[in-house]
Amino acid sequence: MDKLRIVGRKRLTGSVTIGGAKNAALPAMAASLLTNEPITLTNVPDVWDVGTMRRLLLRLGTHVVQPSLDEITLTTARLASDEAPYELVKTMRASVLVLGPLLARNGRARVSLPGGCAIGARPINEHIRGLEMLGAKVSLEHGFIDAKTEGLSGATIRFGTVSVGGTENLMMAACLARGETVLENCAREPEIEDLAELLARMGASIEGAGTERIRVHGVDRLHGARHRIVPDRIEAGTYLIAGALMGDDVRITECRPSHLGALTDILDRIGVSLVIGEDSLSVRAADDDLVSIEVETAPYPLFPTDMQAQLMALLTQARGTSRLSETIFENRFMHASELARLGARIELRGNRAIVHGPTPLAGTNVMATDLRASASLVLAGLVAEGETLIDRVYHLDRGYEHIEEKMAGLGAEVERFA
Ligand code: EPZ
Protein backbone atom coordinates (compact mmCIF):
# COMPACT_ATOMS: atom_id res chain seq x y z
CA MET A 1 0.00 0.00 0.00
CA ASP A 2 1.69 3.22 -1.19
CA LYS A 3 2.65 5.97 1.20
CA LEU A 4 3.66 9.59 0.68
CA ARG A 5 6.60 11.14 2.52
CA ILE A 6 6.50 14.95 2.79
CA VAL A 7 9.22 17.14 4.28
CA GLY A 8 7.39 20.33 5.18
CA ARG A 9 8.11 24.07 5.19
CA LYS A 10 9.36 24.21 1.59
CA ARG A 11 8.29 27.36 -0.25
CA LEU A 12 6.22 26.80 -3.39
CA THR A 13 6.70 28.68 -6.66
CA GLY A 14 5.95 28.11 -10.31
CA SER A 15 2.87 26.92 -12.15
CA VAL A 16 0.69 23.85 -12.00
CA THR A 17 -1.71 22.73 -14.75
CA ILE A 18 -5.16 21.54 -13.74
CA GLY A 19 -6.58 18.37 -15.30
CA GLY A 20 -10.12 17.48 -16.32
CA ALA A 21 -12.73 17.09 -13.58
CA LYS A 22 -13.14 13.56 -12.20
CA ASN A 23 -16.75 14.42 -11.34
CA ALA A 24 -17.44 15.45 -14.94
CA ALA A 25 -15.54 12.61 -16.61
CA LEU A 26 -17.46 9.90 -14.74
CA PRO A 27 -20.99 10.93 -15.82
CA ALA A 28 -19.68 11.71 -19.32
CA MET A 29 -18.34 8.16 -19.59
CA ALA A 30 -21.68 6.77 -18.38
CA ALA A 31 -23.48 8.90 -21.00
CA SER A 32 -21.70 6.96 -23.75
CA LEU A 33 -24.13 4.09 -23.03
CA LEU A 34 -26.94 6.23 -24.46
CA THR A 35 -25.79 5.72 -28.06
CA ASN A 36 -24.29 2.99 -30.25
CA GLU A 37 -21.91 5.50 -31.81
CA PRO A 38 -18.42 6.56 -30.61
CA ILE A 39 -18.09 9.14 -27.82
CA THR A 40 -14.62 10.69 -27.62
CA LEU A 41 -13.71 12.51 -24.41
CA THR A 42 -10.58 14.64 -24.11
CA ASN A 43 -8.93 16.29 -21.06
CA VAL A 44 -9.86 13.14 -19.12
CA PRO A 45 -7.96 13.00 -15.79
CA ASP A 46 -5.56 10.11 -15.18
CA VAL A 47 -7.19 9.03 -11.88
CA TRP A 48 -8.19 5.68 -10.42
CA ASP A 49 -11.96 6.28 -10.60
CA VAL A 50 -11.80 6.84 -14.39
CA GLY A 51 -10.12 3.43 -14.61
CA THR A 52 -12.91 1.88 -12.54
CA MET A 53 -15.60 3.40 -14.76
CA ARG A 54 -13.66 2.13 -17.79
CA ARG A 55 -13.67 -1.40 -16.32
CA LEU A 56 -17.41 -1.16 -15.65
CA LEU A 57 -18.17 -0.04 -19.21
CA LEU A 58 -16.03 -2.87 -20.61
CA ARG A 59 -18.16 -5.30 -18.57
CA LEU A 60 -21.28 -3.77 -20.09
CA GLY A 61 -19.98 -4.27 -23.62
CA THR A 62 -18.41 -0.91 -24.42
CA HIS A 63 -15.43 -0.92 -26.75
CA VAL A 64 -12.72 1.33 -25.27
CA VAL A 65 -9.88 2.97 -27.17
CA GLN A 66 -7.49 5.14 -25.17
CA PRO A 67 -4.88 6.66 -27.51
CA SER A 68 -3.44 8.71 -24.63
CA LEU A 69 -3.85 9.13 -20.88
CA ASP A 70 -6.22 12.07 -21.33
CA GLU A 71 -8.28 10.88 -24.30
CA ILE A 72 -10.74 8.00 -24.44
CA THR A 73 -13.21 6.82 -27.09
CA LEU A 74 -16.16 4.73 -25.88
CA THR A 75 -18.42 2.84 -28.29
CA THR A 76 -21.27 0.63 -27.11
CA ALA A 77 -22.53 -0.80 -30.40
CA ARG A 78 -24.49 -3.36 -28.39
CA LEU A 79 -24.72 -4.20 -24.71
CA ALA A 80 -23.07 -7.40 -23.47
CA SER A 81 -24.68 -7.07 -20.07
CA ASP A 82 -27.12 -4.80 -18.25
CA GLU A 83 -25.59 -5.44 -14.83
CA ALA A 84 -23.15 -3.32 -12.83
CA PRO A 85 -21.61 -5.85 -10.43
CA TYR A 86 -21.01 -5.37 -6.70
CA GLU A 87 -17.25 -5.81 -6.92
CA LEU A 88 -16.99 -2.69 -9.08
CA VAL A 89 -19.81 -0.62 -7.58
CA LYS A 90 -18.50 -1.12 -4.01
CA THR A 91 -15.20 0.54 -5.00
CA MET A 92 -16.88 3.53 -6.64
CA ARG A 93 -20.37 4.83 -5.84
CA ALA A 94 -20.40 6.83 -9.06
CA SER A 95 -21.02 3.48 -10.82
CA VAL A 96 -24.67 4.20 -10.04
CA LEU A 97 -24.49 6.76 -12.88
CA VAL A 98 -24.89 3.92 -15.40
CA LEU A 99 -28.38 3.22 -14.05
CA GLY A 100 -30.23 5.95 -15.96
CA PRO A 101 -28.39 5.49 -19.28
CA LEU A 102 -28.68 1.68 -19.19
CA LEU A 103 -32.40 1.84 -18.46
CA ALA A 104 -33.02 4.44 -21.18
CA ARG A 105 -30.96 2.53 -23.76
CA ASN A 106 -31.91 -1.02 -22.92
CA GLY A 107 -35.16 -0.97 -20.92
CA ARG A 108 -33.44 -2.93 -18.13
CA ALA A 109 -30.65 -2.16 -15.65
CA ARG A 110 -29.37 -4.06 -12.65
CA VAL A 111 -26.97 -2.04 -10.55
CA SER A 112 -25.59 -3.24 -7.24
CA LEU A 113 -26.61 -1.00 -4.37
CA PRO A 114 -23.47 1.07 -3.65
CA GLY A 115 -23.49 0.28 0.05
CA GLY A 116 -22.08 2.60 2.66
CA CYS A 117 -19.21 5.01 2.24
CA ALA A 118 -16.73 6.56 4.67
CA ILE A 119 -18.33 10.01 4.50
CA GLY A 120 -21.97 9.01 4.89
CA ALA A 121 -24.88 6.68 4.09
CA ARG A 122 -25.36 8.34 0.70
CA PRO A 123 -28.75 6.85 -0.21
CA ILE A 124 -29.99 6.92 -3.81
CA ASN A 125 -33.71 7.26 -3.13
CA GLU A 126 -33.91 10.38 -5.30
CA HIS A 127 -32.45 8.49 -8.28
CA ILE A 128 -34.93 5.63 -7.84
CA ARG A 129 -37.98 7.82 -7.21
CA GLY A 130 -37.21 9.89 -10.32
CA LEU A 131 -36.78 6.83 -12.55
CA GLU A 132 -40.10 5.46 -11.27
CA MET A 133 -41.73 8.78 -12.17
CA LEU A 134 -40.31 8.34 -15.68
CA GLY A 135 -42.12 5.00 -15.88
CA ALA A 136 -39.58 2.50 -14.59
CA LYS A 137 -40.46 -0.39 -12.31
CA VAL A 138 -37.71 -0.51 -9.70
CA SER A 139 -37.20 -3.25 -7.13
CA LEU A 140 -34.43 -3.71 -4.57
CA GLU A 141 -33.53 -7.38 -4.29
CA HIS A 142 -30.44 -9.18 -2.99
CA GLY A 143 -28.47 -5.94 -2.85
CA PHE A 144 -29.33 -4.94 -6.39
CA ILE A 145 -31.40 -2.16 -7.90
CA ASP A 146 -33.43 -3.88 -10.61
CA ALA A 147 -35.05 -1.37 -12.98
CA LYS A 148 -37.23 -2.20 -15.98
CA THR A 149 -39.33 -0.23 -18.41
CA GLU A 150 -41.29 -0.73 -21.62
CA GLY A 151 -40.23 2.81 -22.48
CA LEU A 152 -39.65 5.92 -20.38
CA SER A 153 -42.12 8.83 -20.55
CA GLY A 154 -41.42 12.42 -19.62
CA ALA A 155 -42.59 13.71 -16.22
CA THR A 156 -42.18 16.66 -13.88
CA ILE A 157 -39.90 15.59 -11.03
CA ARG A 158 -38.98 17.70 -8.04
CA PHE A 159 -35.93 16.55 -6.05
CA GLY A 160 -36.55 16.33 -2.31
CA THR A 161 -32.80 16.67 -1.73
CA VAL A 162 -30.43 18.53 -4.06
CA SER A 163 -28.44 15.67 -5.57
CA VAL A 164 -25.61 15.91 -8.12
CA GLY A 165 -25.78 12.24 -9.12
CA GLY A 166 -29.56 12.21 -9.02
CA THR A 167 -29.72 15.21 -11.36
CA GLU A 168 -27.20 13.58 -13.71
CA ASN A 169 -28.91 10.15 -13.76
CA LEU A 170 -32.34 11.60 -14.47
CA MET A 171 -31.11 14.13 -17.02
CA MET A 172 -29.46 11.29 -18.97
CA ALA A 173 -32.51 9.00 -18.73
CA ALA A 174 -34.88 11.81 -19.78
CA CYS A 175 -32.93 12.35 -23.04
CA LEU A 176 -34.50 9.16 -24.46
CA ALA A 177 -37.87 9.41 -22.67
CA ARG A 178 -40.97 10.13 -24.73
CA GLY A 179 -42.07 13.77 -24.38
CA GLU A 180 -40.87 16.45 -22.02
CA THR A 181 -39.28 16.05 -18.60
CA VAL A 182 -38.94 18.92 -16.14
CA LEU A 183 -36.48 18.41 -13.26
CA GLU A 184 -36.89 20.82 -10.35
CA ASN A 185 -34.68 21.59 -7.35
CA CYS A 186 -31.72 20.31 -9.37
CA ALA A 187 -28.08 20.47 -8.38
CA ARG A 188 -26.30 23.31 -10.20
CA GLU A 189 -22.67 22.11 -10.20
CA PRO A 190 -20.51 22.96 -13.26
CA GLU A 191 -20.09 19.21 -13.86
CA ILE A 192 -23.84 19.04 -14.59
CA GLU A 193 -23.55 21.81 -17.17
CA ASP A 194 -20.61 19.98 -18.69
CA LEU A 195 -22.64 16.75 -18.95
CA ALA A 196 -25.52 18.65 -20.57
CA GLU A 197 -23.07 20.11 -23.10
CA LEU A 198 -21.95 16.60 -24.04
CA LEU A 199 -25.56 15.34 -24.26
CA ALA A 200 -26.48 18.29 -26.50
CA ARG A 201 -23.54 17.42 -28.76
CA MET A 202 -25.01 13.90 -28.90
CA GLY A 203 -28.32 15.35 -30.14
CA ALA A 204 -30.21 15.77 -26.85
CA SER A 205 -32.49 18.73 -26.27
CA ILE A 206 -31.78 20.16 -22.79
CA GLU A 207 -32.37 23.62 -21.32
CA GLY A 208 -31.46 25.01 -17.92
CA ALA A 209 -28.53 22.80 -16.88
CA GLY A 210 -26.68 24.69 -14.14
CA THR A 211 -29.92 26.15 -12.81
CA GLU A 212 -32.38 24.57 -10.41
CA ARG A 213 -34.82 23.73 -13.25
CA ILE A 214 -33.81 21.55 -16.20
CA ARG A 215 -36.13 20.88 -19.13
CA VAL A 216 -35.44 17.88 -21.39
CA HIS A 217 -37.30 17.12 -24.65
CA GLY A 218 -36.86 13.39 -25.31
CA VAL A 219 -35.51 12.23 -28.68
CA ASP A 220 -35.59 8.81 -30.36
CA ARG A 221 -31.84 8.32 -30.45
CA LEU A 222 -28.54 10.01 -29.69
CA HIS A 223 -25.43 9.98 -31.90
CA GLY A 224 -21.68 10.08 -31.41
CA ALA A 225 -19.84 13.19 -30.24
CA ARG A 226 -16.52 14.57 -29.13
CA HIS A 227 -16.25 16.56 -25.87
CA ARG A 228 -13.53 18.17 -23.76
CA ILE A 229 -14.02 17.60 -20.03
CA VAL A 230 -14.27 20.77 -17.92
CA PRO A 231 -11.27 21.56 -15.65
CA ASP A 232 -11.40 20.14 -12.12
CA ARG A 233 -12.43 22.95 -9.74
CA ILE A 234 -11.62 20.84 -6.67
CA GLU A 235 -8.12 20.01 -7.87
CA ALA A 236 -7.63 23.74 -8.60
CA GLY A 237 -8.96 24.64 -5.14
CA THR A 238 -6.59 22.17 -3.52
CA TYR A 239 -3.54 23.79 -5.17
CA LEU A 240 -4.91 27.22 -4.29
CA ILE A 241 -4.79 26.23 -0.63
CA ALA A 242 -1.29 24.79 -1.03
CA GLY A 243 -0.24 28.20 -2.37
CA ALA A 244 -2.08 29.99 0.44
CA LEU A 245 -0.11 27.92 2.96
CA MET A 246 3.40 27.96 1.51
CA GLY A 247 3.32 29.82 -1.80
CA ASP A 248 5.77 32.57 -2.79
CA ASP A 249 4.13 32.78 -6.18
CA VAL A 250 2.02 29.84 -7.34
CA ARG A 251 0.19 30.00 -10.64
CA ILE A 252 -2.67 27.61 -11.34
CA THR A 253 -3.35 27.30 -15.05
CA GLU A 254 -6.01 25.76 -17.33
CA CYS A 255 -8.67 26.14 -14.65
CA ARG A 256 -12.03 27.98 -14.47
CA PRO A 257 -11.81 30.63 -11.69
CA SER A 258 -15.52 31.33 -12.25
CA HIS A 259 -16.23 27.85 -10.81
CA LEU A 260 -14.30 28.68 -7.63
CA GLY A 261 -16.07 31.88 -6.54
CA ALA A 262 -17.15 30.65 -3.11
CA LEU A 263 -13.59 29.52 -2.28
CA THR A 264 -11.79 32.59 -3.64
CA ASP A 265 -14.21 34.85 -1.70
CA ILE A 266 -13.33 32.99 1.50
CA LEU A 267 -9.58 33.09 0.81
CA ASP A 268 -9.84 36.81 0.12
CA ARG A 269 -11.74 37.37 3.39
CA ILE A 270 -9.14 35.51 5.47
CA GLY A 271 -6.29 37.49 3.95
CA VAL A 272 -4.85 35.32 1.17
CA SER A 273 -3.57 37.36 -1.77
CA LEU A 274 -4.98 36.15 -5.07
CA VAL A 275 -4.81 37.31 -8.68
CA ILE A 276 -7.80 35.98 -10.62
CA GLY A 277 -7.43 35.57 -14.39
CA GLU A 278 -9.69 34.20 -17.12
CA ASP A 279 -8.35 30.65 -16.97
CA SER A 280 -5.71 30.91 -14.26
CA LEU A 281 -5.20 31.94 -10.66
CA SER A 282 -2.11 33.20 -8.85
CA VAL A 283 -1.72 32.90 -5.11
CA ARG A 284 0.90 33.49 -2.46
CA ALA A 285 0.97 32.96 1.28
CA ALA A 286 -0.06 36.00 3.34
CA ASP A 287 2.68 37.98 5.10
CA ASP A 288 0.60 38.36 8.25
CA ASP A 289 -1.58 35.85 10.07
CA LEU A 290 -4.68 34.67 8.29
CA VAL A 291 -7.97 35.71 9.85
CA SER A 292 -10.33 33.05 11.26
CA ILE A 293 -13.75 32.64 9.66
CA GLU A 294 -17.10 30.83 9.82
CA VAL A 295 -17.94 28.71 6.76
CA GLU A 296 -20.78 26.33 5.92
CA THR A 297 -20.73 23.82 3.06
CA ALA A 298 -23.72 23.89 0.71
CA PRO A 299 -24.68 22.97 -2.86
CA TYR A 300 -23.07 24.93 -5.72
CA PRO A 301 -22.56 27.88 -6.13
CA LEU A 302 -21.95 28.04 -2.36
CA PHE A 303 -18.89 26.59 -0.61
CA PRO A 304 -18.35 22.98 -1.79
CA THR A 305 -18.22 20.08 0.64
CA ASP A 306 -15.38 18.67 -1.48
CA MET A 307 -13.18 21.59 -0.33
CA GLN A 308 -14.10 21.40 3.38
CA ALA A 309 -11.22 19.15 4.45
CA GLN A 310 -8.66 21.20 2.52
CA LEU A 311 -9.94 24.48 4.00
CA MET A 312 -9.73 22.96 7.48
CA ALA A 313 -6.00 22.37 6.96
CA LEU A 314 -5.60 26.05 6.04
CA LEU A 315 -7.68 27.29 8.98
CA THR A 316 -5.29 25.60 11.44
CA GLN A 317 -2.97 28.50 10.46
CA ALA A 318 -5.57 31.27 10.87
CA ARG A 319 -5.49 33.43 14.00
CA GLY A 320 -8.49 32.90 16.29
CA THR A 321 -11.37 30.44 16.23
CA SER A 322 -12.81 29.28 12.90
CA ARG A 323 -16.03 27.32 12.54
CA LEU A 324 -16.65 24.89 9.68
CA SER A 325 -20.16 23.41 9.32
CA GLU A 326 -20.61 20.37 7.07
CA THR A 327 -24.23 20.31 5.87
CA ILE A 328 -23.99 17.83 2.98
CA PHE A 329 -22.53 14.64 4.46
CA GLU A 330 -22.97 13.26 7.96
CA ASN A 331 -19.44 11.97 8.52
CA ARG A 332 -16.97 14.14 6.70
CA PHE A 333 -14.63 15.19 9.51
CA MET A 334 -12.39 12.12 9.64
CA HIS A 335 -9.42 14.26 8.64
CA ALA A 336 -9.81 16.27 11.89
CA SER A 337 -8.32 13.56 14.12
CA GLU A 338 -5.43 13.04 11.69
CA LEU A 339 -4.78 16.80 11.57
CA ALA A 340 -4.78 16.73 15.37
CA ARG A 341 -1.94 14.19 15.27
CA LEU A 342 0.05 16.87 13.42
CA GLY A 343 -0.73 19.34 16.22
CA ALA A 344 -3.93 21.00 15.04
CA ARG A 345 -6.42 22.07 17.73
CA ILE A 346 -9.88 21.08 16.46
CA GLU A 347 -13.08 20.39 18.41
CA LEU A 348 -15.89 18.46 16.75
CA ARG A 349 -19.47 19.23 17.77
CA GLY A 350 -21.98 17.37 15.60
CA ASN A 351 -21.69 18.73 12.08
CA ARG A 352 -19.48 21.57 13.21
CA ALA A 353 -15.69 21.68 13.53
CA ILE A 354 -14.12 24.44 15.65
CA VAL A 355 -10.56 25.13 14.57
CA HIS A 356 -8.23 27.12 16.87
CA GLY A 357 -5.19 28.75 15.33
CA PRO A 358 -2.59 29.48 14.40
CA THR A 359 -1.07 26.18 15.54
CA PRO A 360 2.43 25.09 14.50
CA LEU A 361 2.19 21.63 12.92
CA ALA A 362 4.85 18.94 13.34
CA GLY A 363 5.24 16.02 10.96
CA THR A 364 4.31 12.48 12.02
CA ASN A 365 2.56 9.38 10.66
CA VAL A 366 -1.03 9.92 9.54
CA MET A 367 -3.60 7.89 7.62
CA ALA A 368 -5.82 8.88 4.73
CA THR A 369 -9.47 7.87 5.18
CA ASP A 370 -11.21 9.25 2.10
CA LEU A 371 -10.35 11.21 -1.02
CA ARG A 372 -10.57 14.79 0.20
CA ALA A 373 -9.38 13.98 3.72
CA SER A 374 -6.16 12.66 2.18
CA ALA A 375 -5.72 15.94 0.27
CA SER A 376 -6.10 17.77 3.56
CA LEU A 377 -3.25 15.70 5.06
CA VAL A 378 -0.98 16.49 2.10
CA LEU A 379 -1.65 20.21 2.60
CA ALA A 380 -0.96 19.95 6.32
CA GLY A 381 2.25 18.04 5.57
CA LEU A 382 3.43 20.92 3.39
CA VAL A 383 3.20 23.34 6.30
CA ALA A 384 4.30 20.96 9.10
CA GLU A 385 7.84 21.04 10.48
CA GLY A 386 9.75 17.87 9.57
CA GLU A 387 8.58 14.68 7.95
CA THR A 388 4.96 13.57 7.49
CA LEU A 389 4.19 10.04 6.34
CA ILE A 390 0.71 9.55 4.85
CA ASP A 391 -0.56 5.99 4.63
CA ARG A 392 -3.33 4.61 2.34
CA VAL A 393 -2.72 7.12 -0.42
CA TYR A 394 -4.86 5.02 -2.75
CA HIS A 395 -7.62 7.34 -1.54
CA LEU A 396 -5.73 10.25 -3.09
CA ASP A 397 -5.16 8.41 -6.35
CA ARG A 398 -8.91 8.06 -6.86
CA GLY A 399 -9.27 11.75 -7.64
CA TYR A 400 -5.89 13.50 -7.88
CA GLU A 401 -3.73 13.16 -10.95
CA HIS A 402 0.00 12.66 -10.11
CA ILE A 403 -0.30 14.86 -7.01
CA GLU A 404 3.25 14.20 -5.80
CA GLU A 405 4.71 15.17 -9.19
CA LYS A 406 2.60 18.31 -9.41
CA MET A 407 3.45 19.34 -5.82
CA ALA A 408 7.16 18.55 -6.32
CA GLY A 409 7.01 20.65 -9.51
CA LEU A 410 6.09 23.59 -7.27
CA GLY A 411 9.04 22.94 -4.96
CA ALA A 412 7.45 20.68 -2.35
CA GLU A 413 9.56 17.78 -1.04
CA VAL A 414 7.12 14.90 -1.66
CA GLU A 415 7.89 11.34 -2.65
CA ARG A 416 5.82 8.19 -2.97
CA PHE A 417 7.05 4.83 -1.69
CA ALA A 418 5.53 1.40 -1.24
C1 EPZ B 1 -21.28 14.03 -5.96
O1 EPZ B 1 -21.63 12.90 -5.18
C2 EPZ B 1 -19.76 14.04 -6.04
N1 EPZ B 1 -19.30 12.81 -6.69
C3 EPZ B 1 -19.17 14.12 -4.62
O2 EPZ B 1 -17.76 14.20 -4.76
C4 EPZ B 1 -19.69 15.41 -3.97
O3 EPZ B 1 -19.20 15.47 -2.65
C5 EPZ B 1 -21.23 15.40 -3.97
O4 EPZ B 1 -21.71 15.24 -5.33
C6 EPZ B 1 -21.80 16.69 -3.40
O5 EPZ B 1 -21.34 17.79 -4.13
C7 EPZ B 1 -19.36 12.73 -8.04
O6 EPZ B 1 -19.81 13.64 -8.73
C8 EPZ B 1 -18.86 11.46 -8.67
P1 EPZ B 1 -25.25 14.01 -3.94
P2 EPZ B 1 -23.18 12.42 -5.12
O7 EPZ B 1 -26.20 13.05 -4.55
O8 EPZ B 1 -23.84 12.68 -6.42
C9 EPZ B 1 -28.03 13.02 -0.22
C10 EPZ B 1 -15.54 13.68 -4.32
O9 EPZ B 1 -14.88 13.89 -3.30
N2 EPZ B 1 -28.78 12.17 -1.18
O10 EPZ B 1 -25.23 15.43 -4.43
O11 EPZ B 1 -23.21 11.06 -4.55
C11 EPZ B 1 -26.65 12.47 0.07
O12 EPZ B 1 -26.71 11.53 1.11
C12 EPZ B 1 -16.95 13.16 -4.18
O13 EPZ B 1 -15.16 13.88 -5.49
C13 EPZ B 1 -29.96 11.58 -0.78
O14 EPZ B 1 -30.39 11.74 0.36
O15 EPZ B 1 -23.75 13.45 -4.04
C14 EPZ B 1 -25.89 13.70 0.46
O16 EPZ B 1 -26.15 13.97 1.82
C15 EPZ B 1 -17.30 12.83 -2.74
N3 EPZ B 1 -30.64 10.81 -1.68
C16 EPZ B 1 -26.52 14.80 -0.38
O17 EPZ B 1 -27.78 14.29 -0.82
C17 EPZ B 1 -30.19 10.62 -2.96
O18 EPZ B 1 -30.86 9.91 -3.74
C18 EPZ B 1 -25.70 15.18 -1.62
O19 EPZ B 1 -25.45 13.99 -2.35
C19 EPZ B 1 -28.98 11.24 -3.34
C20 EPZ B 1 -28.30 12.02 -2.44
Side-chain angles (χ1 to χ4, degrees):
M1 212 177 279
D2 283 3
K3 292 182 175 64
L4 283 191
R5 175 189 293 118
I6 301 175
V7 176
R9 310 301 308 163
K10 307 295 179 194
R11 304 301 296 178
L12 305 179
T13 55
S15 73
V16 59
T17 303
I18 298 304
K22 162 180 85 79
N23 291 350
L26 297 175
M29 292 172 76
S32 66
L33 293 166
L34 288 164
T35 178
N36 59 5
E37 295 183 14
I39 296 294
T40 297
L41 302 173
T42 59
N43 200 34
V44 177
D46 178 22
V47 296
W48 189 259
D49 277 5
V50 166
T52 303
M53 183 60 85
R54 175 189 163 133
R55 279 191 295 281
L56 173 54
L57 292 175
L58 283 166
R59 289 283 288 265
L60 296 173
T62 304
H63 179 65
V64 179
V65 175
Q66 189 150 9
S68 62
L69 274 180
D70 69 352
E71 178 174 329
I72 191 165
T73 294
L74 306 164
T75 312
T76 314
R78 67 191 62 73
L79 287 170
S81 160
D82 58 15
E83 180 172 306
Y86 178 64
E87 73 265 14
L88 281 174
V89 177
K90 74 178 178 185
T91 66
M92 185 183 67
R93 314 180 50 72
S95 307
V96 78
L97 292 171
V98 303
L99 180 60
L102 266 184
L103 186 64
R105 163 85 184 264
N106 176 51
R108 175 90 194 269
R110 278 172 50 78
V111 175
S112 166
L113 272 166
C117 152
I119 61 177
R122 301 181 74 181
I124 53 168
N125 57 308
E126 299 285 349
H127 301 237
I128 291 169
R129 176 177 154 273
L131 292 173
E132 287 175 330
M133 291 179 75
L134 290 174
K137 296 242 170 315
V138 184
S139 61
L140 302 182
E141 282 157 10
H142 314 300
F144 272 84
I145 305 154
D146 195 340
K148 297 178 190 135
T149 181
E150 300 303 315
L152 297 176
S153 303
T156 294
I157 300 163
R158 180 167 186 77
F159 287 98
T161 308
V162 174
S163 164
V164 173
T167 303
E168 291 166 341
N169 239 333
L170 295 182
M171 188 166 70
M172 288 189 281
C175 288
L176 294 180
R178 259 188 317 282
E180 180 182 71
T181 295
V182 179
L183 302 176
E184 297 180 336
N185 197 27
C186 297
R188 300 166 52 188
E189 272 68 4
E191 292 77 30
I192 289 166
E193 278 188 87
D194 200 53
L195 175 61
E197 215 175 281
L198 164 61
L199 293 168
R201 288 207 171 99
M202 294 168 66
S205 167
I206 302 177
E207 299 147 30
T211 73
E212 71 89 37
R213 175 193 296 256
I214 297 173
R215 197 181 291 274
V216 183
H217 299 271
V219 293
D220 294 337
R221 60 184 297 281
L222 294 174
H223 52 70
R226 185 181 177 83
H227 177 69
R228 181 176 174 79
I229 298 294
V230 69
D232 193 319
R233 60 193 167 98
I234 306 301
E235 185 191 21
T238 303
Y239 286 100
L240 254 187
I241 290 188
L245 282 166
M246 295 302 296
D248 283 337
D249 180 16
V250 170
R251 198 169 141 72
I252 296 154
T253 61
E254 296 189 32
C255 64
R256 289 274 182 87
S258 59
H259 292 163
L260 281 155
L263 176 62
T264 51
D265 288 352
I266 286 166
L267 295 180
D268 185 44
R269 277 166 51 199
I270 67 175
V272 175
S273 40
L274 294 170
V275 175
I276 298 177
E278 192 63 28
D279 60 357
S280 70
L281 288 153
S282 292
V283 59
R284 64 182 173 76
D287 304 328
D288 330 308
D289 276 349
L290 298 173
V291 175
S292 53
I293 193 171
E294 293 215 14
V295 178
E296 180 176 282
T297 64
Y300 191 89
L302 300 178
F303 181 70
T305 175
D306 290 352
M307 282 301 306
Q308 179 258 108
Q310 300 92 311
L311 181 64
M312 190 183 286
L314 180 62
L315 294 178
T316 65
Q317 304 308 304
R319 177 162 297 286
T321 301
S322 297
R323 287 175 175 76
L324 262 176
S325 301
E326 173 54 62
T327 70
I328 304 291
F329 292 112
E330 59 270 31
N331 185 35
R332 205 170 194 177
F333 284 145
M334 285 176 290
H335 41 285
S337 47
E338 296 302 308
L339 291 172
R341 286 181 49 69
L342 293 164
R345 286 173 35 231
I346 303 166
E347 297 161 49
L348 296 183
R349 291 191 195 139
N351 78 332
R352 178 172 289 190
I354 293 139
V355 184
H356 302 283
T359 43
L361 302 182
T364 185
N365 294 37
V366 288
M367 188 173 76
T369 50
D370 60 86
L371 170 55
R372 306 304 174 182
S374 45
S376 167
L377 298 179
V378 171
L379 294 169
L382 295 177
V383 75
E385 195 62 54
E387 186 177 273
T388 299
L389 291 183
I390 304 175
D391 198 356
R392 303 192 179 180
V393 287
Y394 60 83
H395 289 291
L396 259 182
D397 297 335
R398 292 191 50 180
Y400 285 95
E401 194 180 52
H402 319 310
I403 190 165
E404 68 271 20
E405 285 149 30
K406 290 191 176 184
M407 287 290 184
L410 291 172
E413 192 173 328
V414 192
E415 62 169 352
R416 178 187 292 256
F417 62 104

